[in-house]
């Protein structure tokens, strides 16, 4: 089977534990693009947290895409412009703030290229900033300063307690918002119907590429839909067990150039 599009999660997939693309993985992906494979960096990260990696992989040159906020925004790297965008209704912010900024939880969003939160010393808030290599901005009042439609809010906190909040919010907003964890300690809050698979379906239609020609590679809960949807779904060796169970193939870990190994096996090998 000839694969024409490869969707890659970033954290735990494309990047290693240092949040870097290794030279080997970069070389393999550049060579694959030279042979006609197009790349999509599909992540829960905001756009500024993805673009430096897109630049390293020369996506603008090879016609690649950035699928940010788990699909809330799709950027055509060749033009730098969005081809799709979906935003939260600001009317939900007060309730989200009430639930997501109490006890062990903190709610954050994105403002002028910053990770914006009232508590910038929280370990999970700082981890989100480190992941995206974005600066932190301390908010005086979340509700006063985040008063515009955003592609995503993120609630962070203790994983065991976050499981309970995830179910509560998923039930409360059923059909009105997408609620799921991208990491055990990250709870994504997105507009309804947002997930990687649905936005990849949109992108395939935009490009005239068949579902069977799509490869997708990931490790986390928010990668499940695209791994199930793709013609070839690949899980990292370090993936969550449920992701491995859904995959067609399990590659090496993100510390072992697992993405490069999968591309060499399914794309670049004659």
């Amino acid at each position: 089977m000839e694969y024409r599009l490869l969707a890659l999660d970033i954290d735990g997939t494309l990047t290693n534990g240092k949040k870097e693309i290794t030279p080997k993985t970069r070389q393999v992906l550049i060579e694959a693009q030279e042979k006609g494979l197009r790349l999509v960096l599909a992540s829960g990260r905001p756009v500024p947290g993805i673009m430096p990696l897109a630049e390293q992989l020369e996506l603008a040159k090879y016609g690649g895409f950035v699928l940010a906020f788990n699909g809330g925004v799709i950027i055509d790297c060749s033009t730098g412009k969005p081809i799709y965008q979906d935003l939260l209704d600001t009317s939900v912010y007060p309730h989200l703030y009430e639930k997501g900024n109490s006890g062990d939880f903190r709610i954050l969003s994105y403002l002028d290229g910053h990770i914006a939160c009232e508590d910038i010393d929280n370990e999970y808030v700082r981890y989100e900033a480190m992941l995206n290599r974005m600066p932190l901005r301390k908010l005086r009042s979340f509700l006063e300063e985040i008063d515009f439609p955003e592609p995503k809010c993120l609630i962070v906190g203790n994983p065991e307690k976050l499981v309970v909040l995830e179910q509560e919010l998923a039930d409360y907003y059923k059909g009105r918002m997408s609620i799921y964890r991208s990491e055990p300690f990250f709870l994504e809050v997105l507009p309804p119907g947002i997930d990687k698979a649905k936005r990849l379906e949109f992108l395939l239609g935009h490009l005239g590429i068949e579902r069977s020609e799509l490869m997708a590679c990931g490790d986390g809960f928010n990668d499940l839909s695209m791994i199930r949807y793709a013609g070839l779904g690949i899980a990292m060796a370090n993936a969550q067990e449920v992701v491995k169970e859904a995959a067609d193939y399990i590659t090496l870990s993100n510390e072992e150039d697992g993405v490069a190994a999968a591309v060499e096996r399914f794309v670049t090998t004659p």
Side-chain angles (χ1 to χ4, degrees), residues 142-161:
F142 183 92
L143 291 177
E144 289 181 11
E145 295 173 78
I146 306 295
D147 59 352
F148 50 89
E150 282 272 36
K152 179 180 91 169
C153 288
L154 186 68
I155 297 173
V156 303
N158 176 280
E160 292 181 5
K161 294 180 180 179

Side-chain angles (χ1 to χ4, degrees), residues 103-236:
D104 294 330
F105 304 133
R106 295 293 178 267
I107 188 169
L108 63 86
S109 198
Y110 308 90
L111 182 63
D112 300 330
H114 290 70
I115 305 294
C117 184
E118 292 181 3
D119 180 5
I120 61 172
D121 294 320
N122 177 276
E123 62 175 312
Y124 299 120
V125 174
R126 298 187 74 84
Y127 186 70
E128 170 73 350
M130 182 276 293
L131 279 180
N132 290 287
R133 299 189 177 183
M134 290 169 65
L136 288 157
R137 176 177 292 187
K138 182 174 177 60
L139 299 176
R140 181 188 71 260
S141 167
F142 183 92
L143 291 177
E144 289 181 11
E145 295 173 78
I146 306 295
D147 59 352
F148 50 89
E150 282 272 36
K152 179 180 91 169
C153 288
L154 186 68
I155 297 173
V156 303
N158 176 280
E160 292 181 5
K161 294 180 180 179
L162 208 56
V163 171
V164 178
L165 182 64
E166 176 185 20
Q167 189 60 57
E168 179 185 345
L169 292 181
D171 290 342
Y172 184 84
Y173 287 111
K174 188 174 183 179
R176 295 187 289 151
M177 282 204 294
S178 295
I179 312 282
Y180 50 81
R181 283 173 300 142
S182 53
E183 297 284 354
F185 43 80
F186 282 171
L187 183 59
E188 310 272 340
V189 181
L190 300 136
I194 295 287
D195 71 24
K196 293 183 181 184
K198 289 183 179 178
R199 294 306 162 252
L200 285 170
E201 183 178 27
F202 169 87
L203 184 57
L204 290 176
H206 177 78
L207 296 173
I209 293 176
E210 297 295 324
R211 175 179 174 181
S212 60
E213 299 172 305
L214 169 69
M215 288 175 60
C217 190
D219 73 304
F221 300 117
N222 62 330
D223 300 318
L224 261 175
S225 67
M226 73 173 183
I227 284 174
R228 288 170 173 155
Y229 175 76
L232 179 65
I234 299 172
M236 307 299 289

Side-chain angles (χ1 to χ4, degrees), residues 217-270:
C217 190
D219 73 304
F221 300 117
N222 62 330
D223 300 318
L224 261 175
S225 67
M226 73 173 183
I227 284 174
R228 288 170 173 155
Y229 175 76
L232 179 65
I234 299 172
M236 307 299 289
N238 54 284
Q240 303 283 343
E241 285 304 314
V242 66
V243 177
K244 292 180 183 179
E245 291 168 6
D248 301 304
Y249 178 78
I250 300 173
T251 187
L252 301 175
S253 77
N254 65 320
E255 296 293 349
E256 303 169 296
D257 293 298
V259 165
V263 171
E264 287 176 331
R265 179 182 177 95
F266 294 106
V267 180
T268 59
T269 302

